[in-house]
Amino acid sequence: QVTLKESGPGILQPSQTLSLTCSFSGFSLSTSGICVSWIRQPSGKGLEWLATICWEDSKGYNPSLKNRLTISKDTSNNQAFLKITSVDTADTAIYYCARQLPGGFDYWGQGVMVTVSS
Amino acid sequence: DIQMTQSPASLSASLGETVTIECLASEDIYSNLAWYQQKPGKSPQLLIYDASSLQDGVPSRFSGSESGTQYSLEINSLQSEDAATYFCQQHHDYPYTFGAGTKLELK
C-alpha cells in the first residue's frame, strides 16, 4: 500500500526558507524508475510542478522559481525534501508530494497548506 | 517550456451524457500525457497515463486519445461522482506543465 504524507511549518514570514518533508511508505526511492515530485496549488487555482528527484539521484527543477528550489532525499528513511528560499506571499499554496512513475503521478499525498504572511 | 492549452475551462452536462475535454500541446510530447481528476478538498487522482492507458481502478467510462499534439479525455455515461476538475499534464520534458483545468458540473 503506497502512501505519502507532507509536512511543513504551516505559516512563515516573507524572506524565510520553506522546508517541506514528504514521508512515504509502500515503495523505495532506490527502486529503478521511481521518482518523487513536488507540486503546488494556490487556493482555487491550477497545479504547478516544482521539482522531481529520482532513484539514481537525478533532479529536475522548475526554472520559473529562479534557483530558489532544492530537492533532496533520504532513501533509508523513505523521505523526500523540498526547500524554497526567499518565500513571499505568492508561495502561499497547498504543497503536494507525489510518486512519479514513467507514466505520471500515480499516488499523491493529502497536501500541506503553507501560508506566507507578515 | 511546453504549453498545455486545455479546453473548455468549464462545462455542464447531464447524467448519462458523454463529454470530451481537450489539451493541445505546444510541441510534440510523444504521448507523454496524463489526465487527473480532482474533487474539492482532495488531492488529484491519476486517471489516464501515456495518453490512453487507464490507471488501475479507474472506471472504463474514462478514456484517452490523441491526434498529433491534441489530446482528449472522454467520459462516457456521466455519473454524479464525475463532477470534478480535470487536468492534463505533460511529462515529456522539464519543466512538467499542467493544463489550466476543466471544471465539470453535472446538471
Side-chain angles (χ1 to χ4, degrees):
Chain A
Q1 178 189 3
V2 173
T3 64
L4 302 99
K5 187 173 184 179
E6 308 87 349
S7 58
I11 186 165
L12 66 167
Q13 295 184 337
S15 80
Q16 289 185 321
T17 295
L18 170 61
S19 294
L20 296 167
T21 299
C22 175
S23 301
F24 55 86
S25 63
F27 67 96
S28 172
L29 244 182
S30 61
T31 300
S32 178
I34 290 184
C35 308
V36 168
S37 293
W38 288 93
I39 301 110
R40 71 180 179 183
Q41 185 173 36
S43 180
K45 296 191 177 181
L47 298 163
E48 180 182 30
W49 171 79
L50 298 176
T52 294
I53 189 164
C54 295
W55 80 101
E56 83 290 38
D57 210 36
S58 66
K59 304 177 180 82
Y61 293 104
N62 194 326
S64 71
L65 277 81
K66 296 185 178 67
N67 302 317
R68 297 168 52 212
L69 301 175
T70 303
I71 194 169
S72 58
K73 62 183 171 74
D74 180 346
T75 304
S76 300
N77 289 306
N78 287 339
Q79 292 181 315
F81 310 97
L82 183 70
K83 289 187 187 296
I84 305 178
T85 60
S86 303
V87 298
D88 67 14
T89 55
D91 296 308
T92 294
I94 296 173
Y95 286 76
Y96 297 101
C97 63
R99 188 178 80 162
Q100 179 184 331
L101 296 185
F105 305 125
D106 66 336
Y107 286 92
W108 295 61
Q110 64 189 23
V112 62
M113 182 68 206
V114 174
T115 301
V116 180
S117 174
S118 55
Chain B
D1 298 4
I2 298 173
Q3 307 302 315
M4 302 302 299
T5 304
Q6 186 171 344
S7 62
S10 63
L11 73 159
S12 182
S14 300
L15 293 176
E17 283 190 11
T18 295
V19 298
T20 300
I21 299 167
E22 295 182 334
C23 268
L24 179 66
S26 61
E27 60 186 81
D28 198 340
I29 57 172
Y30 301 95
S31 305
N32 291 311
L33 183 108
W35 289 97
Y36 301 89
Q37 177 193 67
Q38 186 178 32
K39 296 182 178 181
K42 300 295 186 182
S43 306
Q45 177 184 359
L46 179 64
L47 300 174
I48 301 286
Y49 63 95
D50 293 343
S52 59
S53 296
L54 192 67
Q55 176 69 358
D56 289 347
V58 174
S60 60
R61 63 179 183 274
F62 292 91
S63 63
S65 63
E66 63 180 287
S67 176
T69 59
Q70 180 91 11
Y71 294 84
S72 300
L73 172 69
E74 184 176 279
I75 312 172
N76 293 313
S77 302
L78 275 173
Q79 306 294 306
S80 57
E81 61 265 30
D82 298 335
T85 300
Y86 294 84
F87 296 94
C88 64
Q89 178 244 335
Q90 67 82 18
H91 53 88
H92 172 62
D93 197 13
Y94 291 145
Y96 298 151
T97 45
F98 290 87
T102 296
K103 186 174 183 179
L104 172 61
E105 295 182 335
L106 277 294
K107 292 178 183 175

